[in-house]
Amino acid sequence: MARLGPFEPRPTLALAVSGGADSLAMALLAKAWAIGRGGTVLALVVDHGLRPEAAMEAGDTIVRLAAKGIPARLLTLRDLAKGPGLAERARAARYAALQTACAEAGILHLLLGHHAGDQAETLRMRQGAGSGPRGLAAMAALVETSHVRLLRPLLGVPPSALRGFLRHEGLDWVEDPSNRDPGTLRARLRAELADPDGTGTT
């Protein structure tokens, strides 16, 4: 976190929590970091409204966070429809909702749970798209927008470490079925990289 500063003397952090293992682990780690500095956290849980189970999973995630002393707010998206470009449209709508919620709460820092495996997949996607040097830099650990600072403190951490941390904490998580859907590019790349623990050279 130190390289992602500066922060206020008592930092307030917003946490984008999907309910998956990576963002839940990030939420617990971020809470410990913020509380240790006299700060606070607020988890933001997005329900994209694309699956019947999504609302229940979001509710379960909020309960899990509450059990760990992390307050949460549910953000429900209502205008998404299945069809071409769904992943990109969902991502844009999610980020817009998260940034609006941060602005409403007066929070400057929004933490995202992307890890080393996500970074490898992103790099592979951009290689396949013929990206130049800027694109091949992949995801940045810090991005400053006009409303919020997007922080990715876990880009160097393998997903297996995050899951091991949650098991140690006795916390369960949601597995998004789209992560295993071969119809999505990321799922195909994940299979191609053959590195489920996120610890390989890829």
Side-chain angles (χ1 to χ4, degrees), residues 59-118:
D60 290 345
T61 297
I62 289 173
V63 170
R64 289 186 181 113
L65 291 165
K68 293 296 184 178
I70 300 175
R73 178 182 168 193
L74 176 64
L75 307 177
T76 302
L77 306 183
R78 304 192 183 279
D79 298 325
L80 284 173
K82 293 184 178 180
L86 176 59
E88 285 304 313
R89 289 188 285 112
R91 180 184 183 278
R94 178 171 65 253
Y95 274 74
L98 289 168
Q99 293 190 51
T100 296
C102 286
E104 291 173 352
I107 300 176
L108 179 61
H109 315 287
L110 173 61
L111 271 65
L112 306 171
H114 298 117
H115 52 62
D118 296 322

Side-chain angles (χ1 to χ4, degrees), residues 162-173:
L162 300 174
R163 285 161 173 72
F165 170 66
L166 285 186
R167 293 187 187 98
H168 181 267
E169 293 291 318
L171 197 62
D172 200 4
W173 60 84

Side-chain angles (χ1 to χ4, degrees), residues 29-155:
L29 294 165
K31 178 203 170 190
W33 184 88
I35 295 298
R37 288 155 180 79
T40 59
V41 297
L42 172 65
L44 302 173
V45 181
V46 178
D47 172 10
H48 294 81
L50 294 171
R51 294 184 295 114
E53 309 87 355
M56 183 181 67
E57 292 169 356
D60 290 345
T61 297
I62 289 173
V63 170
R64 289 186 181 113
L65 291 165
K68 293 296 184 178
I70 300 175
R73 178 182 168 193
L74 176 64
L75 307 177
T76 302
L77 306 183
R78 304 192 183 279
D79 298 325
L80 284 173
K82 293 184 178 180
L86 176 59
E88 285 304 313
R89 289 188 285 112
R91 180 184 183 278
R94 178 171 65 253
Y95 274 74
L98 289 168
Q99 293 190 51
T100 296
C102 286
E104 291 173 352
I107 300 176
L108 179 61
H109 315 287
L110 173 61
L111 271 65
L112 306 171
H114 298 117
H115 52 62
D118 296 322
Q119 187 73 302
E121 292 163 16
T122 297
L123 180 59
R124 183 67 187 86
M125 288 173 68
R126 295 186 181 179
Q127 286 175 330
S131 294
R134 184 172 181 178
L136 294 179
M139 288 185 286
L142 165 61
V143 176
E144 294 188 352
T145 75
S146 57
H147 301 293
V148 70
R149 304 172 76 241
L150 302 176
L151 309 179
R152 297 182 174 95
L154 301 177
L155 283 180

